[in-house]
Amino acid sequence: MFENRPNCAHEVVFVGRSNVGKSTLLREITGHSFDTGGKPGVTREPNHYDWSAHDFVVTDLPGFGFMSGVEADRREAIKDDIVAYLEEYADNFLAAVLVVDGKSAVDIIDRHTTEDEIPYDVEMFHFLRELGVPTVVAVNKMDKVDDRDERLDDLCDRLGLYPPWQQWQDVVAPITAKQGRIEALNEALRDHLHAQNHDELFQYF
């Protein structure tokens, strides 16, 4: 179990598969630069950002799922730690952001959908919502997607959200973190912060 969480009452937590651009997105949001790379699984422990004057932390949890060069039992242990962290601190979360790769998410979900298997992304989305955490799906790398609306509709369908995607703008946020185009995510997060009377945190998103 991850042990290094700052003692903060409020938190926005970021989760997602390895290599979906989560660390790039966190760098864009926090202004902090840290170890990222083309190698999946670089982040093995949470990165916590409690730089604000408020009783508030932004957390980047390790990537889950397949990681090149990482053994299966280690991957499972990381995923178990992520789940335990989310369960333990759910009451502190003002929002969770599930980051997915806009170009490949639907294909990955379809490839892992069987009678015996729920894809990690779908499982994580529903798990967060079952915990009662307002959850935004940040659909990253949209600059590489040609059929934008169709792709977002398909993703909504896989997540159990009735298309068209435009009616879920507090849940589905198309972004391109590498280009700094994250306005849709900031707006969705502000909606959830406002609903919980935390407008003072708008300055961070």
Side-chain angles (χ1 to χ4, degrees):
M1 176 66 183
F2 308 129
E3 302 289 350
N4 61 346
R5 182 186 185 274
N7 184 22
C8 291
H10 305 299
E11 182 170 358
V12 173
V13 64
F14 287 71
V15 297
R17 283 181 175 276
S18 299
N19 240 24
V20 294
K22 192 156 50 67
S23 295
T24 303
L25 174 58
L26 264 295
R27 190 169 59 227
E28 187 65 33
I29 289 172
T30 66
H32 286 267
S33 186
F34 48 93
D35 193 9
T36 65
K39 185 181 174 189
V42 168
T43 307
R44 301 288 173 83
E45 291 286 325
N47 285 306
H48 298 287
Y49 304 94
D50 57 341
W51 75 99
S52 84
H54 298 96
D55 190 11
F56 169 65
V57 62
V58 171
T59 298
D60 174 21
L61 288 176
F64 56 78
F66 176 76
M67 297 173 227
S68 176
V70 181
E71 293 178 3
D73 55 351
R74 176 69 184 132
R75 294 199 301 263
E76 279 304 309
I78 291 172
K79 183 164 174 269
D80 289 345
D81 283 347
I82 292 169
V83 168
Y85 184 93
L86 294 173
E87 286 179 325
E88 180 163 351
Y89 297 110
D91 290 345
N92 299 92
F93 299 152
L94 298 174
V97 180
L98 172 62
V99 186
V100 302
D101 184 326
K103 192 170 174 65
S104 63
V106 172
D107 298 333
I108 290 171
I109 289 170
D110 288 351
R111 195 159 63 236
H112 289 277
T113 301
T114 67
E115 285 184 16
D116 305 318
E117 185 180 13
I118 302 171
Y120 282 154
D121 295 306
V122 176
E123 187 178 32
M124 187 62 71
F125 178 70
H126 290 292
F127 175 63
L128 287 164
R129 284 162 68 105
E130 282 163 18
L131 289 174
V133 180
T135 303
V136 181
V137 181
V139 191
N140 196 20
K141 307 184 184 181
M142 288 302 292
D143 58 315
K144 298 179 179 176
V145 176
D146 297 327
D147 48 350
R148 176 189 172 93
D149 288 341
E150 184 181 336
R151 183 58 53 145
L152 292 168
D153 284 349
D154 286 346
L155 181 60
C156 281
D157 179 66
R158 304 308 190 270
L159 294 173
L161 304 172
Y162 194 74
W165 75 270
Q166 286 91 342
Q167 65 183 336
W168 300 104
Q169 291 192 33
D170 61 337
V171 181
V172 176
I175 63 171
T176 301
K178 193 175 275 190
Q179 298 177 2
R181 289 163 48 199
I182 61 170
E183 299 85 0
L185 173 60
N186 288 339
E187 286 175 21
L189 285 173
R190 287 179 177 193
D191 280 348
H192 295 300
L193 293 172
H194 178 69
Q196 297 168 82
N197 299 312
H198 282 289
D199 291 16
E200 78 279 3
L201 300 178
F202 280 12
Q203 62 188 292
Y204 304 111
F205 301 103

